[in-house]
Amino acid sequence: MAAKVEIYTKMFCGYCSRAKRLLDSKGVDYLEYDITMGGEKAAEMRSRKPDARTVPQVFIDDVAIGGSDDLAALERAGKLDSLLGV
């Protein structure tokens, strides 16, 4: 079964684009929350991961994975597919 994937992003964020490209390459559907202008979703991200100061912030099945580098590290370690359920 496919995992629930959520990603908090901002416009013109290269790291956000990189993380989304990796998820897209896996054929994974994800919910993207653009927090460029702050607002409710930015507050939600901080409440879910209080130490988060940068984007993207990726959550898989409600578990905070981290940012683009963390996602790429999981891929390199061969652990991302099992987390994503692909």
Side-chain angles (χ1 to χ4, degrees):
M1 186 167 110
K4 176 184 176 187
V5 181
E6 299 166 281
I7 181 169
Y8 294 84
T9 64
K10 289 186 178 181
M11 289 179 3
F12 312 116
C13 167
Y15 291 103
C16 299
S17 297
R18 191 172 86 178
K20 291 189 296 182
R21 269 196 310 275
L22 177 54
L23 293 171
D24 289 341
S25 76
K26 299 288 184 182
V28 173
D29 290 328
Y30 52 86
L31 295 169
E32 180 179 0
Y33 308 122
D34 184 334
I35 62 167
T36 302
M37 303 302 278
E40 184 178 316
K41 285 295 180 184
E44 176 186 278
M45 180 189 83
R46 286 189 299 276
S47 74
R48 292 177 79 182
K49 189 164 190 282
D51 61 337
R53 298 288 176 259
T54 60
V55 290
Q57 288 297 321
V58 179
F59 291 80
I60 299 176
D61 285 335
D62 294 318
V63 175
I65 299 303
S68 179
D69 291 343
D70 302 301
L71 199 63
L74 286 170
E75 172 69 357
R76 283 191 305 277
K79 298 178 180 177
L80 185 57
D81 286 354
S82 64
L83 286 175
L84 294 173
V86 296

